[in-house]
Amino acid sequence: MPLRDTTSHYQKAYFLLSAADVKQLPADQGIEVAMVGRSNAGKSSVLNKITRSKNLARVSKTPGRTQQVNIFVIDETRRIADLPGYGYAKVPLAAKEKWQKTVDQYISTRESLKGLVLVMDIRHPLKPTDWQLLDYCAHRGDLPVHILLNKADKLSRSAAAQTLKEVKAEIAEKYDLVSCQIFSAMKGEGLKELFAVLGEWYEYK
Ligand SMILES: Nc1nc2c(ncn2[C@@H]2O[C@H](COP(=O)(O)OP(=O)(O)O)[C@@H](O)[C@H]2O)c(=O)[nH]1
Ligand SMILES: [Mg+2]
């Protein structure tokens, strides 16, 4: 049995650095998986669940680092990149543009980037900025995206299943490399499915 669905790999993760610019990122080698999502969708909570740590999310909330790419190291060849959150209505246009530029640049240039985890609130899936991101990833061509419909605990099982079905149908029309699942960072629901995807990307044998 492969070790794909165990959490042990990720528990060792530690914070390495925050980068305001792609030039400040660590050497573009090995395997990087990036986490992205609208502010408040639960990105930090998902990161906590994956690594079973509270420190990582705290780093991602430190003022000044929320608009940067935060890099966490799993081992010598594997990293998690926490991309800046987007979609706060109150954020000034300049900040939105900066977010887009950083993320676009990161996605288009980062060779070690093997996959993107896109966190959405299951009650508000596929907002315009999410589509924009999916289009950008599709444009790069070879980059798989795995969508987490987070906060599933806020909906009934049948409503969550219905949303999953609708989101799957919408993305299937446009993209080949986008997958989707129900998740709850609060309940830990969907972790096994997520670890299976991460295990593939990180090439855990
Ligand atoms: N009910 C519920 N609340 C969640 C879940 N995930 C995150 N939250 C809450 O949503 C809010 C935003 O979460 P956070 O991880 O900080 O989101 P981020 O801005 O995307 O990093 C916090 O109050 C979390 O406790 C979930 O799965 N279920
Ligand atoms: Mg956060």
Side-chain angles (χ1 to χ4, degrees):
M1 236 343 240
L3 274 172
R4 289 212 170 110
D5 57 356
T6 71
T7 60
S8 57
H9 308 295
Y10 310 106
Q11 284 179 40
K12 286 172 279 175
Y14 62 91
F15 172 70
L16 182 68
L17 57 81
S18 296
D21 195 279
V22 292
K23 292 189 207 87
Q24 297 166 350
L25 290 170
D28 197 0
Q29 291 158 358
I31 302 174
E32 214 159 86
V33 170
M35 311 267 310
V36 67
R38 295 166 55 79
S39 307
N40 220 39
K43 191 159 55 83
S44 298
S45 305
V46 171
L47 205 56
N48 260 348
K49 268 288 167 215
I50 293 172
T51 58
R52 293 210 182 161
S53 150
K54 291 192 172 79
N55 299 327
L56 302 195
R58 205 178 298 141
V59 165
S60 309
K61 279 189 171 171
T62 307
R65 285 184 174 159
T66 53
Q67 289 308 310
Q68 304 194 3
V69 178
N70 293 304
I71 299 286
F72 303 96
V73 169
I74 299 169
D75 61 35
E76 273 170 26
T77 58
R78 299 178 176 95
R79 294 175 303 275
I80 301 173
D82 185 18
L83 302 186
Y86 59 93
Y88 251 143
K90 284 180 192 145
V91 170
L93 186 62
K96 282 183 192 164
E97 282 171 352
K98 184 163 185 312
W99 169 81
Q100 202 183 325
K101 195 167 156 246
T102 308
V103 171
D104 286 358
Q105 230 183 357
Y106 172 82
I107 290 172
S108 58
T109 62
R110 197 71 174 158
E111 284 187 26
S112 53
L113 178 62
K114 289 288 142 51
L116 205 79
V117 176
L118 172 53
V119 182
M120 296 178 195
D121 186 323
I122 193 165
R123 297 165 300 174
H124 315 286
L126 296 172
K127 292 280 190 184
T129 34
D130 295 320
W131 284 116
Q132 202 181 327
L133 189 82
L134 288 167
D135 282 342
Y136 204 84
C137 292
H139 188 247
R140 192 184 117 151
D142 57 349
L143 185 67
V145 180
H146 188 61
I147 297 172
L148 298 183
L149 297 173
N150 189 37
K151 307 194 188 184
D153 55 277
K154 294 270 193 187
L155 296 182
S156 69
R157 289 223 165 259
S158 59
Q162 181 60 27
T163 303
L164 176 67
K165 201 175 145 194
E166 285 166 12
V167 170
K168 275 188 171 168
E170 281 201 73
I171 57 179
E173 261 179 44
K174 287 193 78 178
Y175 313 107
D176 294 326
L177 294 175
V178 181
S179 52
C180 184
Q181 70 162 97
I182 287 171
F183 199 82
S184 167
M186 197 178 90
K187 296 263 166 83
E189 187 191 344
L191 256 182
K192 204 173 171 186
E193 199 176 341
L194 173 59
F195 281 133
V197 173
L198 292 178
E200 290 283 339
W201 290 348
Y202 281 124
E203 296 174 13
Y204 283 121
K205 299 280 188 298

